[in-house]
């Protein structure tokens, strides 16, 4: 069957996970072109993206931002809606999503990579599922150079780590304030782009079992990262992510890989 939508991705990327979740939730079929970090820059720019992924090719449009893609999905298939039709409710969802995109996503990525990047064996293992074998090989032999490029691009250093830890905690505080009244979703009474974005971008600090590709075990990680993750798993925000993954994440196992 001819698949109209193609997702250019890094399989491990939590911004790609956010988009996949939206597509799977709506039952929109797509093929995926997976790349390893750094390699995605060429693939993204080649089709008119900004060098980052996700990029969704729709046939006549190139969407190169996860939020633009989620908005687009509501136009492809109205139900279940990711953004409420009521203006005030929609603005609330969009404000939460923006907070997670700008603060949570970069912070979880930086904290995770700060501890994982020095461990070549572990990182190669984490990056392997779904990745093109040739790229995985080249990534392995060029690890010294590529891991430095990643450090530079993602600002992975001790100062960045400290700032990211603060932002991470601040974002969880914000979410947990809302959850104290026992609500099942962050905004309104159904799953929205706010919940999906929080769960997907928070996943590297909580390691839900049914993430798109297998997450490492705590015992494999640097002890400081494992401690940090344990703390987030126990927080109400972490429990909320587990709940969303268990109850709401419908993975479409059928999405074929396109090269
Ligand atoms: N604002 C973008 C951010 C996407 C993003 O940061 N993607 C990461 C992957 S997790 C990326 O491509 N990073 C590569 C780089 O910056 O070189 C979105 O929401 O789609």
């Amino acid at each position: 069957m001819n698949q109209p939508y193609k997702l250019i991705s890094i399989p491990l990327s939590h911004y790609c996970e956010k988009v996949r979740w939206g597509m799977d939730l709506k039952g929109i079929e797509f093929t995926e072109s997976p790349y390893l970090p750094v390699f995605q820059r060429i693939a993204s720019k080649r089709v008119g993206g900004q060098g980052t992924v996700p990029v969704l090719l729709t046939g006549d449009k190139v969407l190169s931002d996860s939020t633009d893609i989620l908005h687009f999905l509501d136009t492809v298939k109205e139900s279940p809606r990711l953004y409420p039709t009521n203006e005030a409710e929609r603005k609330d969802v969009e404000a939460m999503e923006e907070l997670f995109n700008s603060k949570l996503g970069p912070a979880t990525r930086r904290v995770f990579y700060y501890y994982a990047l020095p461990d070549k064996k572990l990182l190669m293992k984490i990056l392997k599922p779904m990745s093109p074998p040739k790229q995985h090989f080249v990534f392995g032999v060029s690890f010294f150079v590529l891991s430095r490029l990643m450090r530079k691009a993602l600002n992975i250093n001790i100062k960045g780590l400290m700032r990211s830890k603060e932002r991470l905690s601040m974002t969880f505080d914000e979410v947990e304030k809302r959850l104290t009244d026992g609500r099942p979703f962050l905004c309104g009474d159904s799953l929205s782009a706010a919940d999906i974005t929080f769960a997907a971008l928070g996943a590297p600090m909580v390691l839900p079992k049914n993430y798109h590709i297998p997450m490492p075990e705590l015992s494999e990680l640097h002890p400081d990262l494992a401690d940090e993750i344990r703390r987030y798993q126990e927080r109400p925000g972490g429990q909320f992510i587990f709940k969303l993954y268990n109850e709401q994440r419908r993975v479409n196992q059928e999405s074929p890989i396109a090269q």
Side-chain angles (χ1 to χ4, degrees):
M1 184 185 151
N2 194 16
Q3 307 270 352
Y5 301 114
K6 182 164 160 179
L7 179 69
I8 299 178
S9 75
I10 295 173
L12 180 65
S13 158
H14 51 352
Y15 286 92
C16 295
E17 169 72 355
K18 167 185 166 185
V19 164
R20 247 188 248 106
W21 191 328
M23 310 269 295
D24 287 342
L25 179 75
K26 284 176 180 277
I28 297 172
E29 291 185 18
F30 62 101
T31 58
E32 188 158 343
S33 277
Y35 290 84
L36 282 182
V38 184
F39 292 88
Q40 101 287 342
R41 287 184 199 167
I42 304 162
S44 166
K45 286 191 175 158
R46 195 167 45 208
V47 295
Q50 298 148 14
T52 59
V53 291
V55 175
L56 186 71
L57 305 180
T58 71
D60 59 354
K61 278 194 275 284
V62 176
L63 300 170
S64 58
D65 179 81
S66 61
T67 299
D68 292 345
I69 298 172
L70 289 198
H71 277 285
F72 170 76
L73 297 182
D74 264 358
T75 68
V76 175
K77 206 167 182 189
E78 222 186 305
S79 176
R81 288 199 72 84
L82 298 170
Y83 300 90
T85 43
N86 173 284
E87 196 186 337
E89 289 170 13
R90 192 185 69 241
K91 283 193 168 150
D92 186 36
V93 169
E94 288 171 343
M96 291 301 275
E97 183 181 18
E98 173 53 25
L99 171 74
F100 304 143
N101 278 336
S102 60
K103 304 277 190 269
L104 181 67
T108 52
R109 181 172 57 200
R110 195 170 290 120
V111 173
F112 189 86
Y113 275 133
Y114 181 87
Y115 293 106
L117 259 182
D119 189 341
K120 176 178 171 185
K121 201 169 153 219
L122 174 71
L123 199 65
M124 293 306 295
K125 181 182 165 196
I126 297 174
L127 289 173
K128 192 159 187 195
M130 266 191 80
S131 71
K134 259 193 216 154
Q135 274 183 43
H136 192 260
F137 174 77
V138 175
F139 198 94
V141 293
S142 319
F143 191 81
F144 184 81
V145 176
L146 296 183
S147 60
R148 266 154 191 76
L149 285 176
M150 284 175 71
R151 270 178 207 285
K152 198 153 181 267
L154 303 174
N155 208 8
I156 297 170
N157 50 54
I158 187 73
K159 210 169 138 203
L161 176 74
M162 292 308 164
R163 203 178 51 234
S164 290
K165 282 187 176 179
E166 272 169 34
R167 287 186 178 168
L168 189 52
S169 185
M170 183 271 282
T171 316
F172 267 65
D173 287 346
E174 200 69 33
V175 163
E176 288 165 3
K177 250 190 266 162
R178 287 196 177 218
L179 297 177
T180 45
D181 60 10
R183 64 180 71 195
F185 301 105
L186 287 175
C187 310
D189 51 15
S190 61
L191 185 79
S192 73
D195 303 294
I196 290 177
T197 307
F198 177 64
L201 300 190
M205 278 299 116
V206 176
L207 307 183
K209 283 283 171 240
N210 47 344
Y211 192 79
H212 181 64
I213 61 171
M215 295 263 108
E217 298 295 328
L218 284 179
S219 57
E220 297 176 279
L221 299 174
H222 186 289
D224 292 349
L225 178 58
D227 282 350
E228 195 79 22
I229 289 175
R230 236 176 253 116
R231 267 199 298 280
Y232 278 96
Q233 287 178 334
E234 282 162 16
R235 285 183 65 149
Q239 293 292 313
F240 182 59
I241 291 177
F242 280 133
K243 185 166 164 278
L244 289 174
Y245 262 93
N246 284 336
E247 295 175 6
Q248 305 290 337
R249 180 74 177 101
R250 284 180 225 133
V251 178
N252 179 4
Q253 302 289 2
E254 302 303 314
S255 306
I257 293 181
Q259 288 298 333

